Amino acid sequence: MLEVISISEVLSTNSNPKTKIHIEVIGSHLSDELLTNAVIGLRISLVNIGAFKTNGNRFEEPQISLIIDKSQESIANKALSIAEAQVSAMHLVDTPSNIKTPEYMADYAVASGKKYGYKVDVYDKKALTEMKMDALLAVGQGSCHEPRLIVMEYNPKGKKSTNPKLGLVGKGISFDTGGISIKPSANMGYMKSDMGGAAAVIGAVELAARLKLDIHIVGVVPAAENSVDANSIRPGDVISSYSGKSIEVIDTDAEGRLVLADGLAYIIRNYQPENLIDLATLTGSVIAALGYTASGMFTHNDEMAASLTSVGAPINERVWRMPMWEDYAPDMHSDIADIKNLSSRPVAGSITAAKFLEVFTAEHKNWVHLDIAGVAFADSEFAKSRTATAFGVRLLGAYMETMV
Ligand code: BES
Ligand code: ZN
Ligand code: ZN
């Protein structure tokens, strides 16, 4: 447990540790920025990554009291909300895929919406079939865990706006085997993190609600498992999509762009958000280009690019702009369908993926795609394997603040 208490409170009450391990941290001399980082760091240090160990529930959580000046109370409490939303996102990403099904992600969003006061609608396979979310259904058709579309809407009280200021779409692949174009088995387990975009979107909507930000936002998560099965889509199949466009599936491992195509078309047709950002662990190519240091940012909008770059840099949630020139578009042209899901050339994979997504954005002027494949799930000094980073939650929180 982490509590933030002001010095005056400490002096008037005798602090009374409830657990054996009680740590008091004096933060009253810190700047607002350092205090924010201290609160977030302290809270995240309490995450128990061994929750599935036999004795996982016997983990004794220390109580940390951060003692600050009364004047910094609201800064510290805001930082605590950011950290809690990040912990939610981390929990989702770190949860194994036998537990974290599309239904589990939907239940998680519903519970968060009830707790923090935002609306969540969940569409199951039957509803998705009626809605013609054919690309999302195609990706999920090989799994016994059926797909879901999760739609979260946070609209601050008294706001009558019909169009949200910000629309968010997050790739929600609960596990990516690659499908029939199966991945090599080494490190395939990392693909439980293929819903890092979904976790960022759920975390960001939750954060807006926790902070009661004065901004109307909608978050959409197309969630599915990409499995190998007799019912799976095959390379060479042609599928339809929510937009009505047909897609030739060259490679079933390029599934993220298929579910995002439906997520983007859905949010644009039904909500017309003023600004639109999607986040996805989309390509290995973005890791080849930028490593594990920054996400790839794809947009035609200079203003949004500048804003995301400047809010991301000081909090170490970096975005690095990549080109979107039309030269890359023909690589995605199909002979038999409106578009294909994989370029014919083994170059510029993260860019051609962005050009694919662009086809489903109805030329939205304020759209940004963030490829977070290298930054959502990372090595750290605290664990032997990779763990979730919650990349995007704090970035989107800071970005939303620039919009209110
Ligand atoms: N989920 C992967 C991308 C990924 C790779 C995320 C590494 C995190 C770490 C995505 O669905 C995928 O498989 N992409 C393929 C696309 C290829 C088939 C065109 C890739 O990038 O290798
Ligand atoms: Zn894939
Ligand atoms: Zn994937």
Side-chain angles (χ1 to χ4, degrees):
M1 191 197 125
L2 171 64
E3 63 170 353
V4 173
I5 44 178
S6 67
I7 288 179
S8 49
E9 249 175 89
V10 178
L11 295 176
S12 64
T13 56
N14 276 329
S15 52
N16 180 19
K18 292 177 199 73
T19 53
K20 271 188 253 158
I21 316 161
H22 181 88
I23 307 164
E24 294 201 343
V25 182
I26 313 291
S28 53
H29 57 291
L30 298 176
S31 67
D32 288 356
E33 193 189 350
L34 287 176
L35 177 65
T36 299
N37 288 338
V39 170
I40 292 174
L42 287 169
R43 175 61 190 91
I44 288 174
S45 74
L46 295 174
V47 171
N48 173 18
I49 60 167
F52 293 98
K53 288 180 190 285
T54 313
N55 64 356
N57 57 359
R58 278 195 259 130
F59 168 80
E60 186 171 10
E61 200 182 88
Q63 182 182 338
I64 303 179
S65 303
L66 179 62
I67 299 159
I68 52 155
D69 202 82
K70 186 104 191 137
S71 62
Q72 284 182 305
E73 224 167 8
S74 69
I75 299 283
N77 282 322
K78 187 175 133 195
L80 200 49
S81 294
I82 296 170
E84 293 295 351
Q86 288 179 306
V87 170
S88 294
M90 285 175 179
H91 169 78
L92 277 169
V93 172
D94 284 332
T95 297
S97 300
N98 57 330
I99 297 169
K100 178 183 53 189
T101 59
E103 183 183 15
Y104 178 96
M105 289 191 264
D107 289 348
Y108 199 93
V110 168
S112 164
K114 273 209 184 98
K115 192 158 176 200
Y116 300 106
Y118 61 90
K119 187 167 160 258
V120 181
D121 291 319
V122 176
Y123 300 93
D124 64 7
K125 187 178 172 188
K126 186 164 168 276
L128 294 172
T129 309
E130 278 160 20
M131 292 153 75
K132 297 196 165 54
M133 298 282 288
D134 289 348
L136 173 58
L137 285 163
V139 170
Q141 75 192 30
S143 173
C144 57
H145 304 295
E146 293 179 351
R148 295 285 186 281
L149 182 76
I150 309 166
V151 181
M152 292 158 281
E153 182 168 19
Y154 167 70
N155 203 352
K157 283 207 177 72
K159 278 251 151 157
K160 294 246 161 50
S161 67
T162 42
N163 294 3
K165 257 232 142 83
L166 180 62
L168 298 171
V169 180
K171 171 177 172 182
I173 297 298
S174 64
F175 192 77
D176 183 11
T177 63
I180 300 293
S181 317
I182 196 165
K183 286 182 180 295
S185 60
N187 294 328
M188 200 203 273
Y190 288 165
M191 284 300 118
K192 72 173 183 182
S193 68
D194 210 18
M195 36 57 70
V201 169
I202 296 171
V205 177
E206 183 180 302
L207 178 57
R210 279 176 181 267
L211 295 176
K212 300 195 167 53
L213 288 184
D214 193 20
I215 176 174
H216 179 189
I217 61 176
V218 171
V220 166
V221 170
E225 183 179 33
N226 189 21
S227 281
V228 192
D229 184 82
N231 293 312
S232 297
I233 42 167
R234 291 154 288 258
D237 283 1
V238 173
I239 60 171
S240 186
S241 66
Y242 185 74
S243 68
K245 292 191 165 72
S246 60
I247 305 168
E248 183 184 8
V249 179
I250 302 293
D251 192 311
T252 65
D253 197 12
E255 84 300 334
R257 60 197 76 180
L258 299 177
V259 304
L260 285 177
D262 276 3
L264 287 165
Y266 179 86
I267 204 169
I268 291 168
R269 190 186 297 170
N270 296 282
Y271 291 95
Q272 296 105 35
E274 212 172 296
N275 295 307
L276 176 59
I277 303 177
D278 77 73
L279 298 97
T281 48
L282 203 63
T283 67
S285 264
V286 83
I287 307 177
L290 299 172
Y292 300 97
T293 301
S295 64
M297 174 169 63
F298 302 83
T299 183
H300 293 293
N301 188 307
D302 296 344
E303 215 181 294
M304 287 177 81
S307 182
L308 284 161
T309 305
S310 73
V311 296
I315 59 174
N316 202 30
E317 294 206 4
R318 298 192 188 109
V319 298
W320 192 257
R321 196 166 180 185
M322 304 279 283
M324 286 278 280
W325 296 307
E326 255 331 270
D327 308 52
Y328 297 102
D331 287 3
M332 303 304 283
H333 291 167
S334 162
D335 289 332
I336 61 169
D338 295 335
I339 188 152
K340 61 185 180 188
N341 80 332
L342 183 64
S343 165
S344 6
R345 298 189 300 151
V347 295
S350 64
I351 305 174
T352 51
K355 293 306 281 184
F356 175 92
L357 295 180
E358 188 183 12
V359 169
F360 299 90
T361 57
E363 294 177 11
H364 196 294
K365 294 281 173 289
N366 307 332
W367 165 64
V368 176
H369 158 58
L370 297 179
D371 192 335
I372 61 170
V375 291
F377 197 59
D379 287 323
S380 76
E381 56 271 47
F382 310 111
K384 290 191 168 52
S385 183
R386 291 190 185 174
T387 51
T389 63
F391 185 99
V393 174
R394 196 173 168 192
L395 175 74
L396 292 171
Y399 180 70
M400 289 188 287
E401 280 191 311
T402 68
M403 296 178 78
V404 294

